[in-house]
Amino acid sequence: MPFAATPPEGLVTLSQNARTVLDKRYLVKDKTGKSVEKPEDMFWRVATVVAEADRRYGASDGAVQALAEEFYFLMTQRRFEPNSPTLMNAGRPLGQLSACFVLPVEDALSNGQNGIYDSLRSMALIHQSGGGTGFSFSRLRSKGSMVRSTTGVASGPISFMELYDASTDAVKQGGTRRGANMGILRVDHPDVLDFVACKEDLTKITNFNISVGITTKFMDALKADGSYDLYDPANGAVVAQLRARDVWDRMILGAWRTGEPGVFFIDEANKYNPVPHLGAYEATNPCGEQPLLAYDVCNLGSVNLGYYVSNGVVDWDAMRRDIALSTHFLDNIIDVNKYPLPEIDALSKRIRRIGLGVMGFADMLVRLGIPYDSAEGVEMGRRVMEFLDVEGKKESERLAKDRGAFPEWARSIWGPDETCARDANGQRIRPMQLLRNCNVTTVAPTGTISIIAGCSSGLEPLFAVAFMRNQAGVMMPDVNEDFVSIAKHEGWYSDELMERIAKTGSVRHAEVPAKWQAVFNTANNISPEYHIRMQAAFQQHCDSAISKTTNFSHTATVDDVRAIYEMAYDMKCKGVTVYRDGSRDGQVLSTGATA
Ligand code: UDP
């Protein structure tokens, strides 16, 4: 039975900002560029495609229709949104629904599968389909080493990264946005110092975020102020040594100057690789929250936490139901997705990785009257992430009982004692649990979908209470509605106050009561330590990693940045990204204080 052609009747709560963004970016257009669908049609298109997967597991017409309606209201009432490619592509010719991919790059120009130019081609196909790509360039021989076939010299990983960057310029993701990439080089690669410096010039390699893959050996050398070995990628021989502190200092200086490179604690991340028998984590997706194997993929989706708070109380039952529904939604995506490469299709069905995360966490805290930078705020972060993780896995377990565990389950970290993957000491990494998905939780940046949902992004604090947002080239005013309604209710609202807040980027003004100054504290005014403490609290209950920017004021020193990098490692974060206010041009978000 076909689905109804028009969306169901019922409460839809999309804002004008959301409608503008959808119109500009995601709605189906005619040849003249005019949208031929409304946002409601788009969400119905997505809901029906994703619900359809249930039919393969024996659901009746009626059940599939009812599920599509549930998915539709889940999204249009802004309780959950899937990652952008799902919104753009579901039910359309591309049909590619995932945001994150990682491709291997072998040290050959072409070997017919994963040489430099083979993966370049795969990258273009993934970008065209709306996905972002991550690469490790660590297998490429270093600059200046010999190339046997031509007796020439190799140009090294960075020159090939520049090639990938140039190609990225030419292909628009899903026909709407430019491709995004992550480039990773291990800290023990001989070209690491060039890599650390390769984005010093802000006009270069702009389609890549870069991170250094930091090993435990390196961190041990750093703590002992010793040296560590660099290896020739071609044969594993030790070719040189560097003093760990020198390399670390250069990375910190780069991060202080421009925000790059970030770091990816690759050994720490690999401890929790759910399927080590299939290989180690290769790299992360462009924004860093999703470590992936070679040819791995993840579809993300985020629950809007602020939605579940009313009158200062969290409705945990409603959240539990929506977490289950969202997990079901993401698992269905794997079955209806059209993957750009057969290798990716095959792996995705063997491990069924999904990434359920959050957005609107800062809104949740505001509505509970809890400052982000407080012990209570951090504890709330830990608690809500634990809830998401436990409830998401309960649904994944239910789906496994109904539809089967992911095919690699028995040998994964979740499998039975006799077969499951263990750590180096032979200990279980995770308690046994039957699961449909090898990973369930990831916290994404939610850059666009948080605008669609009209909420704060990811687990980030409020960026500002009043500011101008550059969205796809259009400057849009944004004021925090919770703040405005509290100010009006308590009688200290004025337009002039809002202007002052927008101009100064701070709520520290005499008429704002101290309690609200604390609750509405914004990203730039929250200490870096609290950013990291929050990231670490979420990380405790997250299968994958966390997208988080630790903000520094413009006047922060290099030592301040160094302290945060070391704290992040000690607190078992899987990566760090910092941003010192004003250190880059063309910020997406800007407050009056820095614009
Ligand atoms: N991403 C991308 N291009 C972009 C933004 C994001 O490829 O311009 C991918 C990337 O893998 C990133 C992931 O989408 O890590 C999630 O980003 P975000 O949550 O901001 O995406 P949204 O779903 O809100 O568009």
Side-chain angles (χ1 to χ4, degrees):
M1 192 179 70
F3 289 103
T6 50
E9 294 290 319
L11 180 68
V12 169
T13 60
L14 298 169
S15 70
Q16 197 46 51
N17 262 5
R19 288 179 185 276
T20 306
V21 169
L22 289 171
D23 185 46
K24 221 168 156 51
R25 311 256 296 261
Y26 296 176
L27 302 184
V28 178
K29 307 280 190 303
D30 65 15
K31 284 199 186 103
T32 67
K34 194 169 162 295
S35 297
V36 296
E37 62 178 0
K38 293 203 296 289
E40 285 79 356
D41 305 321
M42 180 201 77
F43 284 114
W44 184 235
R45 162 166 71 71
V46 174
T48 52
V49 166
V50 179
E52 188 61 35
D54 267 45
R55 208 183 295 278
R56 315 174 177 216
Y57 304 104
S60 65
D61 281 347
V64 173
Q65 175 78 28
L67 183 65
E69 292 186 12
E70 281 196 79
F71 285 162
Y72 174 77
F73 289 113
L74 185 70
M75 292 182 286
T76 53
Q77 293 176 358
R78 304 177 292 138
R79 287 137 54 196
F80 159 88
E81 304 298 342
N83 55 205
S84 289
T86 302
L87 299 175
M88 295 173 188
N89 298 335
R92 303 189 60 197
L94 279 170
Q96 197 295 102
L97 311 179
S98 298
C100 318
F101 295 82
V102 161
L103 293 170
V105 187
E106 290 296 336
D107 188 28
L109 287 187
S110 173
N111 58 13
Q113 199 206 356
N114 52 18
I116 295 166
Y117 282 83
D118 306 305
S119 286
L120 180 70
R121 172 182 177 276
S122 302
M123 176 191 82
L125 294 175
I126 292 173
H127 287 173
Q128 182 186 39
S129 79
T133 38
F135 308 91
S136 169
F137 293 101
S138 306
R139 285 194 210 96
L140 303 190
R141 77 194 73 180
S142 59
K143 188 173 164 183
S145 40
M146 210 190 51
V147 179
R148 214 168 281 146
S149 56
T150 59
T151 60
V153 288
S155 52
I158 292 147
S159 69
F160 289 117
M161 193 161 77
E162 285 166 350
L163 169 77
Y164 278 44
D165 183 64
S167 167
T168 301
D169 272 329
V171 182
K172 277 199 174 164
Q173 280 184 312
T176 60
R177 57 186 183 187
R178 181 97 50 74
N181 300 293
M182 170 64 81
I184 289 189
L185 197 77
R186 287 174 65 96
V187 71
D188 51 17
H189 189 285
D191 290 0
V192 66
L193 293 179
D194 287 347
F195 181 76
V196 167
C198 76
K199 289 198 67 179
E200 251 171 32
D201 176 348
L202 287 173
T203 63
K204 280 191 154 174
I205 323 186
T206 50
N207 301 309
F208 269 85
N209 292 323
I210 60 165
S211 277
V212 181
I214 299 287
T215 60
T216 306
K217 268 191 187 164
F218 174 86
M219 288 309 286
D220 291 345
L222 179 69
K223 298 245 149 143
D225 194 11
S227 297
Y228 72 103
D229 295 333
L230 302 183
Y231 301 96
D232 181 346
N235 56 22
V238 175
V239 288
Q241 286 204 320
L242 287 173
R243 185 175 167 222
R245 181 141 307 274
D246 288 345
V247 179
W248 191 242
D249 283 352
R250 291 193 200 204
M251 284 168 37
I252 306 290
L253 184 63
W256 177 84
R257 274 200 191 122
T258 66
E260 291 202 274
V263 293
F264 172 44
F265 295 121
I266 193 161
D267 290 341
E268 179 64 25
N270 265 306
K271 274 189 207 159
Y272 303 98
N273 174 0
V275 285
H277 61 291
L278 299 180
Y281 280 138
E282 173 89 7
T284 72
N285 67 334
C287 302
E289 70 276 13
Q290 189 62 61
L292 294 169
L293 310 180
Y295 295 118
D296 204 349
V297 55
C298 192
N299 58 302
L300 308 171
S302 304
V303 173
N304 178 3
L305 297 175
Y307 175 87
Y308 303 92
V309 186
S310 51
N311 300 322
V313 178
V314 182
D315 185 346
W316 294 101
D317 287 334
M319 200 196 294
R320 177 182 291 114
R321 285 192 297 275
D322 284 350
I323 291 169
L325 193 57
S326 306
T327 306
H328 185 165
F329 183 109
L330 293 179
D331 184 61
N332 277 17
I333 297 240
I334 296 168
D335 293 325
V336 295
N337 211 343
K338 292 188 194 159
Y339 292 104
L341 296 174
E343 293 88 343
I344 295 173
D345 186 285
L347 184 60
S348 87
K349 291 186 176 134
R350 296 206 69 70
I351 64 178
R352 304 190 70 88
R353 191 190 292 279
I354 60 173
L356 182 66
V358 301
M359 55 186 171
F361 174 63
D363 299 331
M364 172 183 232
L365 290 184
V366 159
R367 290 169 200 171
L368 292 170
I370 302 173
Y372 191 95
D373 50 345
S374 66
E376 210 189 336
V378 173
E379 172 52 20
M380 192 65 201
R382 194 203 59 74
R383 184 171 166 209
V384 79
M385 192 64 210
E386 181 178 30
F387 190 78
L388 186 89
D389 193 52
V390 167
E391 297 300 328
K393 291 213 171 76
K394 273 191 206 158
E395 176 64 7
S396 182
E397 184 172 359
R398 186 192 71 77
L399 290 167
K401 286 183 181 147
D402 202 31
R403 306 173 171 188
F406 63 96
E408 297 292 337
W409 175 76
R411 288 194 292 161
S412 79
I413 59 173
W414 308 105
D417 272 339
E418 322 80 69
T419 48
C420 82
R422 292 145 202 273
D423 68 13
N425 304 318
Q427 300 298 309
R428 285 199 73 100
I429 298 157
R430 294 284 189 232
M432 176 169 149
Q433 186 172 14
L434 191 73
L435 289 175
R436 175 83 172 147
N437 313 93
C438 76
N439 264 187
V440 174
T441 45
T442 301
V443 181
T446 72
T448 305
I449 61 170
S450 64
I451 301 172
I452 294 169
C455 64
S456 62
S457 54
L459 58 17
E460 297 291 2
L462 297 178
F463 173 74
V465 165
F467 64 100
M468 298 300 287
R469 185 196 286 274
N470 179 351
Q471 185 58 45
V474 182
M475 293 304 283
M476 301 200 299
D478 225 312
V479 290
N480 185 289
E481 285 171 17
D482 289 305
F483 184 85
V484 170
S485 84
I486 291 166
K488 286 188 172 161
H489 181 72
E490 296 189 356
W492 43 268
Y493 178 87
S494 72
D495 288 345
E496 190 275 324
L497 171 65
M498 296 311 290
E499 269 167 40
R500 229 181 313 138
I501 290 173
K503 223 175 263 162
T504 56
S506 163
V507 289
R508 292 186 189 147
H509 300 282
E511 58 269 64
V512 182
K515 171 183 174 178
W516 298 122
Q517 290 193 20
V519 167
F520 284 96
N521 199 6
T522 49
N524 280 331
N525 299 312
I526 285 172
S527 72
E529 288 74 19
Y530 263 109
H531 282 280
I532 292 292
R533 284 177 65 179
M534 191 63 89
Q535 180 179 339
F538 272 81
Q539 185 62 70
Q540 272 183 48
H541 298 286
C542 180
D543 291 327
S544 293
I546 310 279
S547 167
K548 177 88 189 75
T549 303
T550 290
N551 296 84
F552 284 84
S553 66
H554 189 69
T555 54
T557 65
V558 175
D559 283 340
D560 296 336
V561 174
R562 180 183 296 108
I564 283 304
Y565 269 57
E566 290 173 12
M567 179 175 166
Y569 180 71
D570 290 340
M571 293 190 85
K572 301 206 175 305
C573 293
K574 292 182 184 165
V576 198
T577 307
V578 302
Y579 182 72
R580 191 168 58 90
D581 200 25
S583 62
R584 270 199 208 200
D585 295 328
Q587 287 170 236
V588 177
L589 305 176
S590 63
T591 63
T594 58

